Amino acid sequence: MTASNADLSTILNRILDAAADNLRIAKILTQMGLDPNNVTYDAIFNRLLEIFLHNITLANMFALVGAIFFVATLLTQTMVPLRVANMIGCAFFAAFGALTGTVTTFLLYLLLVPINAFRLRQMLVLIKKARSATQGDTSMEWLKPFMTERKYRKGDILMKKGDAANEMLLTVTGKFLVMEINVELPPGRLMGELGFLTPDNRRTATIECIEDGHVLTITYEKLLEIYFQNPQFGYYFLVLTSQRLLENIARLEGILAQNKLAQQAAAASGPN
């Protein structure tokens, strides 16, 4: 084992001697405080260790911790831990800037701390409301701050059956007609939520605006983000869609019952 280490050290020293013959490398070695005519693996290691120990300062330690938390944000998959790690990392980088007297670094990372704190608070409020919604409140009021407004006029087609779907809508004012089943949607009703669950994200019905109004929209990507922050939202969303499907089934059963009564009435009033 000792002979093997000696052979490796000899090979490395030969490589370093050959590299030292290059003027550019010799200049770099000189800047590092090494003698180009007497370069060994041990000498480089000792010099690097000396540089490392010399630069162990409080400011650099803050920068190192900040870098660790920055790497943690790259490895984090959910937003809440990411925001927390980012805030901690920015705080350490701001301390590094203050200790080294770098005003731009200090101000940049100091500004990022409250921004991340604000976004973190938004996400925590969203999670709290989503969790309370999963416990029985099936209204969509809690989701409105994360939706955007869109206006429609009478005769506008909001969506067509079979089209690609990428957003869910909530009616606020006006009236909208589901053309396939001839059902009006009053304010406060969801539209397009079933497209979120279909395998190919396709619209399952055509909806027309029959009275001027406006809706609130939210993309499926945002819904997925909410789900990843609080998986309970997935259960809540299933409750909403199940309620919608049950309503459709009850409506169809009512239509079938009416048709059956009509047929029976027609048969009873037939030729005597």
Side-chain angles (χ1 to χ4, degrees), residues 1-217:
M1 193 69 179
T2 304
S4 178
N5 291 336
D7 292 340
L8 179 60
S9 179
T10 301
I11 293 173
L12 290 174
N13 288 335
R14 289 179 180 177
I15 294 174
L16 291 172
D17 290 338
D21 293 337
N22 187 304
L23 295 178
R24 182 175 298 178
I25 295 178
K27 184 177 181 180
I28 294 174
L29 293 174
T30 301
Q31 291 175 348
M32 291 178 60
L34 297 170
D35 183 4
N37 298 320
N38 185 24
V39 180
T40 63
Y41 173 77
D42 291 337
I44 291 179
F45 176 79
N46 291 332
R47 179 55 181 164
L48 291 176
L49 181 61
E50 180 183 347
I51 293 173
F52 174 76
L53 294 175
H54 179 73
N55 285 278
I56 294 181
T57 62
L58 182 61
N60 288 337
M61 292 302 296
F62 275 112
L64 177 61
V65 176
I68 292 173
F69 278 99
F70 175 76
V71 173
T73 63
L74 301 178
L75 301 176
T76 304
Q77 296 181 351
T78 54
M79 289 300 296
V80 171
L82 186 149
R83 291 292 182 187
V84 173
N86 206 338
M87 286 176 57
I88 297 174
C90 289
F92 276 99
F93 277 126
F96 166 77
L99 292 174
T100 58
T102 310
V103 178
T104 53
T105 300
F106 171 73
L107 292 178
L108 172 63
Y109 289 103
L110 185 65
L111 180 62
L112 289 175
V113 172
I115 292 176
N116 279 284
F118 175 72
R119 292 300 185 187
L120 175 63
R121 183 179 180 277
Q122 276 189 322
M123 189 57 61
L124 291 176
V125 170
L126 173 61
I127 292 173
K128 181 179 179 180
K129 290 182 177 180
R131 184 174 291 113
S132 63
T134 61
Q135 296 173 355
D137 181 10
T138 56
S139 71
M140 297 295 291
E141 293 295 325
W142 62 274
L143 202 56
K144 286 184 177 180
F146 303 91
M147 306 178 82
T148 56
E149 183 178 345
R150 187 180 301 159
K151 295 182 179 180
Y152 289 100
R153 290 185 172 273
K154 182 178 179 180
D156 290 344
I157 301 297
L158 282 69
M159 60 187 71
K160 291 183 179 180
K161 184 177 180 179
D163 285 351
N166 58 8
E167 63 182 3
M168 182 179 72
L169 299 85
L170 176 67
T171 61
V172 179
T173 63
K175 292 182 180 179
F176 304 88
L177 177 68
V178 183
M179 301 180 67
E180 283 77 7
I181 56 178
N182 195 33
V183 171
E184 290 187 11
L185 299 178
R189 293 294 299 273
L190 283 178
M191 300 184 293
E193 76 279 10
L194 295 181
F196 180 60
L197 300 177
T198 57
D200 53 355
N201 293 124
R202 294 286 175 179
R203 295 299 186 193
T204 59
T206 301
I207 298 181
E208 179 185 3
C209 178
I210 58 175
E211 181 183 291
D212 293 359
H214 74 277
V215 302
L216 297 176
T217 68

